[in-house]
Amino acid sequence: MSTNPTPAQAPTAQLRDHRRRFRVLSEIAEGAFGKVYLAEQLAGDGFSRVVALKILRDDLMQDVGAIAALQRECEHVRALDHPNVLRVDGVH
């Protein structure tokens, strides 16, 4: 586990989707499907919060089975309601 990823280790310094922007702070873990990062979610209005960001491996981005497995994982986690379990905010 790396606590301070170099630019080569981090997916990018800032990840963007159509609504959000993330700044990767450190790598938390790596598994069979991808990596989990500690990241800061940034918004245009100055809002930010620390989040866990799971990113699927590049070679699995078009794999229908891997995408379905990740979606099932998110559905299962969304069904949990406990202060020690992360809340799933979105899948993109």
Side-chain angles (χ1 to χ4, degrees):
M1 176 172 70
S2 171
T3 56
N4 295 310
T6 65
Q9 292 173 313
T12 63
Q14 293 188 359
L15 300 165
R16 297 173 188 261
D17 72 13
H18 63 285
R19 293 173 292 176
R20 302 169 206 198
R21 186 172 59 154
F22 301 94
R23 183 170 60 93
V24 173
L25 303 172
S26 64
E27 183 181 324
I28 296 172
E30 181 174 355
F33 283 96
K35 293 185 179 183
V36 178
Y37 296 93
L38 180 67
E40 182 178 20
Q41 180 183 350
L42 308 166
D45 60 2
F47 167 82
S48 70
R49 67 179 175 165
V50 176
V51 298
L53 184 64
K54 186 170 190 175
I55 300 177
L56 201 59
R57 287 189 347 230
D58 287 341
D59 62 313
L60 296 176
M61 290 289 192
Q62 303 301 319
D63 185 314
V64 176
I67 293 168
L70 182 60
Q71 289 173 331
R72 282 191 306 274
E73 177 182 321
C74 290
E75 290 171 11
H76 292 304
V77 174
R78 277 189 178 140
L80 300 174
D81 184 20
H82 190 278
N84 294 336
V85 175
L86 289 175
R87 180 182 61 136
V88 173
D89 189 40
V91 179
H92 306 280

